[in-house]
């Protein structure tokens, strides 16, 4: 699958090609704070054909204090508009579905960290729920 995305002001964009996961709704408190959403709509993708477009100098990063074990929780965002931008994590790319130009082929397939779910978020879609971090998705769940 080929995906493109950009931040709100358009200064920073990206393109990628290869396998893409469906959307994981992450309810972790850190992910809610980082995105401003009731949950973070996370997409994992192949990292080998990922490229930034636009003004890469506009990408800022934040690393939160380590909670447990490395790697640290890191967020990329646009210096101008604050949109969350993709982060490289263990050779793959993790991004927020909301910054994609088109995510019509992706759907929410599970909920992560529901143990930290917001009190005003009710999960009604019947998709699998995990108290904490779910296992790595099965290959059959990935879009090529
Ligand atoms: Zn921007």
């Amino acid at each position: 699958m080929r995906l493109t995305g950009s931040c709100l002001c358009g200064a920073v964009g990206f393109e990628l090609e290869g396998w893409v996961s469906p959307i994981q709704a992450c309810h972790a408190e850190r992910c809610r704070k980082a995105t401003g959403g009731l949950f973070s709509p996370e997409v994992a993708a192949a990292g080998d054909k990922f490229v930034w477009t636009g003004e890469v100098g506009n990408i800022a990063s934040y690393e939160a204090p380590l909670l447990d074990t490395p790697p640290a929780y890191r967020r990329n965002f646009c210096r101008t508009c604050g949109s969350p931008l993709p982060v490289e994590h263990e050779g793959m790319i993790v991004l927020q579905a909301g910054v994609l130009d088109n995510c019509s082929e992706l759907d929410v397939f599970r909920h992560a960290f529901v143990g930290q779910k917001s009190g005003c978020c009710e999960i009604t879609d019947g998709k699998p729920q995990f108290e904490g971090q779910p296992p790595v998705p099965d290959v059959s769940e990935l879009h090529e």
Side-chain angles (χ1 to χ4, degrees):
M1 188 181 290
R2 183 176 178 278
L3 292 175
T4 61
S6 68
C7 65
L8 175 61
C9 73
V12 185
F14 60 88
E15 301 172 3
L16 64 85
E17 213 175 315
W19 63 262
V20 175
S21 77
I23 298 166
Q24 167 172 286
C26 182
H27 297 263
E29 183 179 13
R30 283 182 158 188
C31 291
R32 290 189 284 111
K33 295 274 187 190
T35 59
L38 289 178
F39 59 83
S40 164
E42 295 172 342
V43 174
D48 52 343
K49 287 187 184 163
F50 175 88
V51 286
W52 292 108
T53 58
E55 301 168 37
V56 291
N58 230 45
I59 303 165
S61 289
Y62 169 73
E63 260 189 26
L66 204 59
L67 282 184
D68 193 7
T69 50
Y73 184 84
R74 189 161 64 88
R75 305 297 307 203
N76 288 339
F77 54 94
C78 172
R79 272 181 213 286
T80 304
C81 68
S83 283
L85 292 169
V87 172
E88 195 198 335
H89 179 74
E90 294 177 345
M92 63 181 179
I93 297 294
V94 179
L95 59 91
Q96 311 298 309
V99 298
L100 291 171
D101 296 322
N102 183 348
C103 66
S104 58
E105 291 182 63
L106 305 178
D107 56 349
V108 173
F109 79 124
R110 67 182 182 185
H111 296 267
F113 288 95
V114 295
Q116 299 178 33
K117 187 170 78 62
S118 163
C120 58
C121 179
E122 191 185 347
I123 300 171
T124 58
D125 62 10
K127 299 291 167 65
Q129 299 182 25
F130 297 83
E131 276 295 298
Q133 179 77 58
V136 173
D138 190 79
V139 176
S140 64
E141 294 174 308
L142 304 176
H143 302 268
E144 280 301 326

